[in-house]
Amino acid sequence: GESVGLHLPTLSVQEGDNSIINCAYSNSASDYFIWYKQESGKGPQFIIDIRSNMDKRQGQRVTVLLNKTVKHLSLQIAATQPGDSAVYFCAENNAGGTSYGKLTFGQGTILTVHP
Amino acid sequence: DGGITQSPKYLFRKEGQNVTLSCEQNLNHDAMYWYRQDPGQGLRLIYYSQIVNDFQKGDIAEGYSVSREKKESFPLTVTSAQKNPTAFYLCASTGGDGEKLFFGSGTQLSVL
């Protein structure tokens, strides 16, 4: 119905706290997962990715955890800053390496960081 | 600067009109994609092209058409058959390492 998608999950944190954003994916055949950050009126920005043969991957201030048993993905942001405020999307790919850009996106989570 | 350029930023369509959204990339990427985003929702794949002169339908291709005559360009036409065209349209590409989908800045299409 019309209300689908209008009630995004939200996460509100204080500056300096660690943030954890969760995502449940749908396809057990997916073998590549990505997190994107999207600011209002802009295109999504790549944050970090992980392949299904890994459980954890770290970047600068970010860590992605993958639990294939329960089909769960999480994004951890350390020392969250006001500039991290945005909508965060997880995405999965099950094209088996033939077309990495064919992604299925989650609904998104709104992160708000208070100074 | 290398990147993906979408134009226009804002576009208005009259009922029964076809409109074309432009997407150009200078990243030398082989594959290009069009996604649609509705308010408060994730992105959905409309069409994609992995090589010049070839393209495939995505999950919501009805009411849309594309062409891929040049590697750098992948325009999307929103036809009059698309009854609910109001959305944010995002063009993207993958290349070099095959992964890491890069997005343009988007076109907001609205109906007058």
Side-chain angles (χ1 to χ4, degrees):
Chain A
E2 289 297 320
S3 64
V4 172
L6 295 180
H7 302 289
L8 290 181
T10 59
L11 177 63
S12 184
V13 301
Q14 290 295 127
E15 181 178 3
D17 287 351
N18 295 334
S19 302
I20 300 177
I21 301 171
N22 296 302
C23 175
Y25 64 92
S26 57
N27 193 334
S28 57
S30 293
D31 57 3
Y32 178 58
F33 305 88
I34 315 98
W35 281 99
Y36 284 93
K37 171 187 179 183
Q38 187 178 28
E39 297 173 323
S40 182
K42 297 183 179 180
Q45 178 185 358
F46 174 91
I47 301 173
I48 192 168
D49 58 359
I50 188 169
R51 299 203 64 82
S52 58
N53 60 354
M54 302 173 68
D55 298 321
K56 177 180 180 179
R57 192 173 187 205
Q58 291 184 291
Q60 187 176 12
R61 279 203 308 119
V62 295
T63 300
V64 55
L65 299 177
L66 175 62
N67 185 329
K68 297 179 287 293
T69 302
V70 295
K71 293 189 288 187
H72 184 268
L73 196 66
S74 68
L75 177 70
Q76 301 178 0
I77 305 173
T80 315
Q81 303 166 0
D84 294 326
S85 295
V87 180
Y88 288 80
F89 292 96
C90 65
E92 60 184 295
N93 176 281
N94 59 9
T98 60
S99 185
Y100 288 105
K102 286 182 63 181
L103 300 176
T104 299
F105 283 79
Q107 188 180 25
T109 296
I110 300 172
L111 175 65
T112 303
V113 183
H114 300 283
Chain B
D1 288 336
I4 301 171
T5 302
Q6 291 188 240
S7 62
K9 179 68 174 176
Y10 300 96
L11 185 60
F12 296 91
R13 192 192 90 166
K14 296 179 180 179
E15 190 171 343
Q17 184 182 45
N18 292 353
V19 292
T20 298
L21 285 61
S22 171
C23 178
E24 302 279 332
Q25 54 99 359
N26 59 5
L27 300 167
N28 199 34
H29 284 176
D30 290 313
M32 298 185 73
Y33 305 80
W34 275 104
Y35 282 87
R36 169 181 171 141
Q37 184 175 29
D38 292 281
Q41 297 188 33
L43 285 67
R44 292 180 291 168
L45 182 63
I46 304 172
Y47 266 100
Y48 66 103
S49 168
Q50 294 183 280
I51 195 169
V52 174
N53 292 323
D54 188 44
F55 49 82
Q56 286 80 40
K57 294 181 178 179
D59 300 320
I60 55 165
E62 186 175 352
Y64 301 97
S65 66
V66 294
S67 63
R68 186 83 187 279
E69 297 177 1
K70 298 186 301 182
K71 185 177 185 178
E72 302 81 16
S73 180
F74 191 40
L76 173 74
T77 297
V78 184
T79 74
S80 57
Q82 174 50 248
K83 299 306 180 186
N84 184 24
T86 297
F88 191 48
Y89 290 86
L90 288 155
C91 180
S93 69
T94 58
D97 57 7
E99 300 173 348
K100 297 183 182 177
L101 190 66
F102 291 97
F103 284 90
S105 56
T107 293
Q108 176 63 52
L109 175 63
S110 302
V111 177
L112 291 175

